[in-house]
Amino acid sequence: MEMQENVSLKSHNSFGIDVNASLWVEVTTREELIEVLKDKRVRAQPSMILGGGSNVLFTRDFDGVVIKMNILGKEVLEEDEHMVLVNVGAGENWHELVLYSLDQGWGGLENLSLIPGTVGAAPMQNIGAYGVEVRQVFDHLTAVHRETGRTEIFDNEACKFGYRESVFKNKYKDHFVITHVAFRLSKKDHELDISYGAISQVLSGKGIIQPTIQDVSDAVISIRQSKLPDPDEIGNAGSFFKNPTVDKIDFEGLKAEFSTIPGYELPGDRVKVPAGWLIEQAGWKGVIKGNIGVHKNQALVLVNYGNGQGEDLKALALEIQDSVAKKFGIILTPEVNIV
Ligand code: EPU
């Protein structure tokens, strides 16, 4: 185990914010992680786990230990002619796992193509896109308790998944480090979800009537590439805010005033409103402020055009929250972790 002092995090966060961590250590096995968690220097100061750094906004130097999750590997735990249960190291790149599963002919991850980040972060915030959430293929995960070093298994129910939520963002926030995630994927008779309008449009545009998992993945990739900036080119962390939900009755009121407001009905008389629409209507889409701004194709994505400061992005996010609250009476909650 090698600890480094004053390490730049610029290449370790997709916003490309240039801050330093006072201490940096990489872990490649569960045993190494347990050893790090016991270390005196680590216990004496704040610590954070970093996966792909694609859902974090650093606003200042991190005065503590950054533990970089680098546990790799894929292992088939169980399989029959219909399905496979594959256990994957938390440090594996998410999209590489999706491509690997497609190569194997395994279905279930295709709608989640091209999401930045690591496997360990996927259940943490129940990543989702184009009608599918990771909870649908999630079987269980292995995690190490940060205080006791004990290893625990969490099944689907124990994770308490919700929209961009899990027990690891709530009750157990900062209690556990996820080391492996097991997914249950189909080997045949794949259940495709092409309900999301843009996917069916791309498929029918290509004349595909009976899509394969590869076709769905290709469609998702082309939609994402047309709307979302590539973090390797323009710093960003995907959607900056969650899509808010409002009571149906309040939604009716909003609809009376803003006739084009989109809304998706949820159980319990709630309606989900696209934050991207609210931000665009509040006049923010494509706004540039020095080195940072709001993306021109997707108002939900804040961007760093280079050398932007985390504090400035945070201030921009606050301004956006403020103006959306004033115009619509809706409070936007960040999806990105602000550190
Ligand atoms: N919209 C606008 N203006 C915009 C952006 C969106 O009016 O600038 C409206 C449109 O009405 C559009 C609707 O918002 O039909 C939905 O937009 P989009 O399909 O782009 O999806 P989203 O709700 O903005 C969510 C996820 C994305 C995920 C997409 C596709 C959240 C916070 N974001 O975005 O996830 O890729 O759906 O399923 O739920 C992420 O989490 O980082 C992320 C990119």
Side-chain angles (χ1 to χ4, degrees), residues 79-104:
E79 102 177 280
D80 62 23
E81 56 174 311
H82 300 283
M83 73 88 201
V84 59
L85 181 63
V86 59
N87 200 28
V88 187
E92 290 279 357
N93 174 273
W94 176 263
H95 184 57
E96 278 169 25
L97 171 66
V98 175
L99 295 180
Y100 174 84
S101 72
L102 291 169
D103 261 2
Q104 305 295 310

Short mmCIF file of all heavy atoms in Angstrom, two decimals, residues 79-104:
data_model
loop_
_atom_site.label_atom_id
_atom_site.label_comp_id
_atom_site.label_asym_id
_atom_site.label_seq_id
_atom_site.Cartn_x
_atom_site.Cartn_y
_atom_site.Cartn_z
N GLU A 79 -24.66 -19.85 -13.55
CA GLU A 79 -25.24 -19.66 -14.87
C GLU A 79 -26.02 -20.89 -15.28
O GLU A 79 -25.74 -22.00 -14.83
CB GLU A 79 -24.14 -19.26 -15.86
CG GLU A 79 -23.58 -20.26 -16.80
CD GLU A 79 -22.55 -19.60 -17.75
OE1 GLU A 79 -22.96 -18.96 -18.74
OE2 GLU A 79 -21.35 -19.75 -17.47
N ASP A 80 -27.07 -20.67 -16.06
CA ASP A 80 -27.77 -21.78 -16.70
C ASP A 80 -28.05 -21.34 -18.13
O ASP A 80 -27.50 -20.35 -18.59
CB ASP A 80 -29.03 -22.19 -15.91
CG ASP A 80 -30.05 -21.06 -15.82
OD1 ASP A 80 -30.01 -20.17 -16.70
OD2 ASP A 80 -30.89 -21.07 -14.91
N GLU A 81 -28.94 -22.05 -18.80
CA GLU A 81 -29.12 -21.70 -20.23
C GLU A 81 -29.82 -20.35 -20.40
O GLU A 81 -29.73 -19.73 -21.46
CB GLU A 81 -29.87 -22.81 -20.97
CG GLU A 81 -31.22 -23.13 -20.34
CD GLU A 81 -32.02 -24.12 -21.16
OE1 GLU A 81 -32.16 -23.92 -22.38
OE2 GLU A 81 -32.53 -25.08 -20.55
N HIS A 82 -30.52 -19.88 -19.35
CA HIS A 82 -31.29 -18.63 -19.49
C HIS A 82 -30.55 -17.40 -18.97
O HIS A 82 -30.72 -16.31 -19.48
CB HIS A 82 -32.61 -18.72 -18.70
CG HIS A 82 -33.48 -19.82 -19.18
ND1 HIS A 82 -34.22 -19.73 -20.32
CD2 HIS A 82 -33.72 -21.07 -18.67
CE1 HIS A 82 -34.88 -20.85 -20.51
NE2 HIS A 82 -34.59 -21.69 -19.52
N MET A 83 -29.80 -17.59 -17.88
CA MET A 83 -29.25 -16.39 -17.24
C MET A 83 -27.85 -16.62 -16.70
O MET A 83 -27.39 -17.75 -16.56
CB MET A 83 -30.20 -15.92 -16.13
CG MET A 83 -30.20 -16.79 -14.89
SD MET A 83 -28.93 -16.24 -13.75
CE MET A 83 -28.69 -17.68 -12.75
N VAL A 84 -27.20 -15.48 -16.39
CA VAL A 84 -25.87 -15.55 -15.81
C VAL A 84 -25.84 -14.57 -14.64
O VAL A 84 -26.47 -13.50 -14.68
CB VAL A 84 -24.80 -15.21 -16.87
CG1 VAL A 84 -24.99 -13.83 -17.45
CG2 VAL A 84 -23.39 -15.36 -16.32
N LEU A 85 -25.17 -14.99 -13.56
CA LEU A 85 -24.97 -14.10 -12.42
C LEU A 85 -23.49 -13.76 -12.41
O LEU A 85 -22.65 -14.63 -12.17
CB LEU A 85 -25.39 -14.80 -11.12
CG LEU A 85 -25.27 -13.99 -9.84
CD1 LEU A 85 -26.20 -12.78 -9.86
CD2 LEU A 85 -25.60 -14.86 -8.62
N VAL A 86 -23.17 -12.49 -12.70
CA VAL A 86 -21.76 -12.13 -12.85
C VAL A 86 -21.39 -11.11 -11.77
O VAL A 86 -22.12 -10.14 -11.52
CB VAL A 86 -21.46 -11.61 -14.28
CG1 VAL A 86 -22.29 -10.40 -14.66
CG2 VAL A 86 -19.99 -11.33 -14.46
N ASN A 87 -20.28 -11.38 -11.11
CA ASN A 87 -19.81 -10.53 -10.01
C ASN A 87 -18.66 -9.68 -10.53
O ASN A 87 -17.71 -10.20 -11.11
CB ASN A 87 -19.33 -11.43 -8.86
CG ASN A 87 -19.29 -10.71 -7.55
OD1 ASN A 87 -20.04 -9.76 -7.31
ND2 ASN A 87 -18.40 -11.15 -6.66
N VAL A 88 -18.76 -8.36 -10.34
CA VAL A 88 -17.82 -7.45 -11.00
C VAL A 88 -17.16 -6.53 -9.95
O VAL A 88 -17.82 -6.01 -9.06
CB VAL A 88 -18.56 -6.59 -12.06
CG1 VAL A 88 -17.57 -5.76 -12.86
CG2 VAL A 88 -19.38 -7.47 -12.99
N GLY A 89 -15.86 -6.33 -10.10
CA GLY A 89 -15.11 -5.45 -9.20
C GLY A 89 -15.60 -4.01 -9.33
O GLY A 89 -15.88 -3.53 -10.43
N ALA A 90 -15.69 -3.33 -8.17
CA ALA A 90 -16.27 -1.97 -8.13
C ALA A 90 -15.49 -0.97 -8.97
O ALA A 90 -16.03 0.04 -9.39
CB ALA A 90 -16.33 -1.49 -6.68
N GLY A 91 -14.21 -1.26 -9.22
CA GLY A 91 -13.39 -0.29 -9.95
C GLY A 91 -13.48 -0.43 -11.47
O GLY A 91 -12.91 0.37 -12.20
N GLU A 92 -14.20 -1.45 -11.95
CA GLU A 92 -14.34 -1.61 -13.40
C GLU A 92 -15.11 -0.42 -13.98
O GLU A 92 -16.06 0.06 -13.37
CB GLU A 92 -15.11 -2.91 -13.73
CG GLU A 92 -14.33 -4.18 -13.44
CD GLU A 92 -13.33 -4.56 -14.54
OE1 GLU A 92 -13.25 -3.88 -15.58
OE2 GLU A 92 -12.63 -5.56 -14.34
N ASN A 93 -14.72 -0.02 -15.18
CA ASN A 93 -15.43 1.05 -15.87
C ASN A 93 -16.82 0.55 -16.30
O ASN A 93 -16.93 -0.54 -16.85
CB ASN A 93 -14.59 1.46 -17.10
CG ASN A 93 -15.30 2.47 -17.95
OD1 ASN A 93 -16.09 2.13 -18.84
ND2 ASN A 93 -15.04 3.73 -17.68
N TRP A 94 -17.84 1.36 -16.03
CA TRP A 94 -19.21 0.93 -16.30
C TRP A 94 -19.44 0.58 -17.77
O TRP A 94 -19.93 -0.48 -18.11
CB TRP A 94 -20.23 1.99 -15.84
CG TRP A 94 -21.60 1.54 -16.22
CD1 TRP A 94 -22.31 1.91 -17.32
CD2 TRP A 94 -22.38 0.55 -15.55
NE1 TRP A 94 -23.50 1.22 -17.38
CE2 TRP A 94 -23.56 0.38 -16.30
CE3 TRP A 94 -22.19 -0.21 -14.38
CZ2 TRP A 94 -24.55 -0.51 -15.92
CZ3 TRP A 94 -23.19 -1.10 -14.01
CH2 TRP A 94 -24.35 -1.24 -14.77
N HIS A 95 -19.07 1.51 -18.65
CA HIS A 95 -19.38 1.26 -20.07
C HIS A 95 -18.60 0.07 -20.62
O HIS A 95 -19.11 -0.67 -21.46
CB HIS A 95 -19.12 2.52 -20.90
CG HIS A 95 -19.51 2.37 -22.34
ND1 HIS A 95 -20.79 2.02 -22.73
CD2 HIS A 95 -18.78 2.46 -23.49
CE1 HIS A 95 -20.84 1.94 -24.06
NE2 HIS A 95 -19.63 2.19 -24.54
N GLU A 96 -17.38 -0.14 -20.12
CA GLU A 96 -16.63 -1.33 -20.56
C GLU A 96 -17.35 -2.61 -20.15
O GLU A 96 -17.35 -3.60 -20.87
CB GLU A 96 -15.19 -1.30 -20.04
CG GLU A 96 -14.32 -0.43 -20.92
CD GLU A 96 -12.96 -0.14 -20.33
OE1 GLU A 96 -12.47 -0.94 -19.51
OE2 GLU A 96 -12.40 0.91 -20.69
N LEU A 97 -17.98 -2.57 -18.97
CA LEU A 97 -18.77 -3.73 -18.55
C LEU A 97 -19.95 -3.94 -19.50
O LEU A 97 -20.26 -5.08 -19.88
CB LEU A 97 -19.27 -3.56 -17.10
CG LEU A 97 -20.28 -4.63 -16.67
CD1 LEU A 97 -19.61 -6.01 -16.61
CD2 LEU A 97 -20.94 -4.28 -15.34
N VAL A 98 -20.61 -2.84 -19.88
CA VAL A 98 -21.75 -2.95 -20.81
C VAL A 98 -21.27 -3.58 -22.11
O VAL A 98 -21.89 -4.53 -22.63
CB VAL A 98 -22.40 -1.57 -21.06
CG1 VAL A 98 -23.51 -1.69 -22.11
CG2 VAL A 98 -22.95 -0.99 -19.77
N LEU A 99 -20.15 -3.10 -22.65
CA LEU A 99 -19.63 -3.63 -23.92
C LEU A 99 -19.25 -5.11 -23.77
O LEU A 99 -19.52 -5.93 -24.65
CB LEU A 99 -18.41 -2.82 -24.39
CG LEU A 99 -18.70 -1.36 -24.75
CD1 LEU A 99 -17.43 -0.66 -25.19
CD2 LEU A 99 -19.77 -1.25 -25.83
N TYR A 100 -18.64 -5.45 -22.63
CA TYR A 100 -18.25 -6.84 -22.37
C TYR A 100 -19.50 -7.73 -22.34
O TYR A 100 -19.53 -8.80 -22.94
CB TYR A 100 -17.50 -6.90 -21.03
CG TYR A 100 -17.17 -8.29 -20.56
CD1 TYR A 100 -16.03 -8.94 -21.02
CD2 TYR A 100 -17.99 -8.95 -19.64
CE1 TYR A 100 -15.73 -10.23 -20.59
CE2 TYR A 100 -17.69 -10.23 -19.20
CZ TYR A 100 -16.57 -10.87 -19.68
OH TYR A 100 -16.26 -12.13 -19.26
N SER A 101 -20.55 -7.25 -21.66
CA SER A 101 -21.77 -8.07 -21.55
C SER A 101 -22.40 -8.26 -22.94
O SER A 101 -22.87 -9.35 -23.26
CB SER A 101 -22.76 -7.48 -20.54
OG SER A 101 -23.36 -6.31 -21.06
N LEU A 102 -22.36 -7.23 -23.78
CA LEU A 102 -22.90 -7.36 -25.14
C LEU A 102 -22.08 -8.38 -25.94
O LEU A 102 -22.63 -9.21 -26.66
CB LEU A 102 -22.88 -6.01 -25.86
CG LEU A 102 -23.86 -4.97 -25.32
CD1 LEU A 102 -23.56 -3.60 -25.92
CD2 LEU A 102 -25.31 -5.36 -25.60
N ASP A 103 -20.77 -8.33 -25.76
CA ASP A 103 -19.87 -9.29 -26.43
C ASP A 103 -20.20 -10.73 -26.06
O ASP A 103 -20.09 -11.64 -26.87
CB ASP A 103 -18.43 -9.05 -25.97
CG ASP A 103 -17.66 -8.24 -26.99
OD1 ASP A 103 -18.26 -7.85 -28.00
OD2 ASP A 103 -16.46 -8.00 -26.74
N GLN A 104 -20.57 -10.91 -24.78
CA GLN A 104 -20.91 -12.25 -24.31
C GLN A 104 -22.31 -12.66 -24.73
O GLN A 104 -22.73 -13.79 -24.48
CB GLN A 104 -20.86 -12.32 -22.77
CG GLN A 104 -19.56 -11.86 -22.12
CD GLN A 104 -18.41 -12.77 -22.48
OE1 GLN A 104 -18.50 -13.99 -22.37
NE2 GLN A 104 -17.32 -12.18 -22.94
#
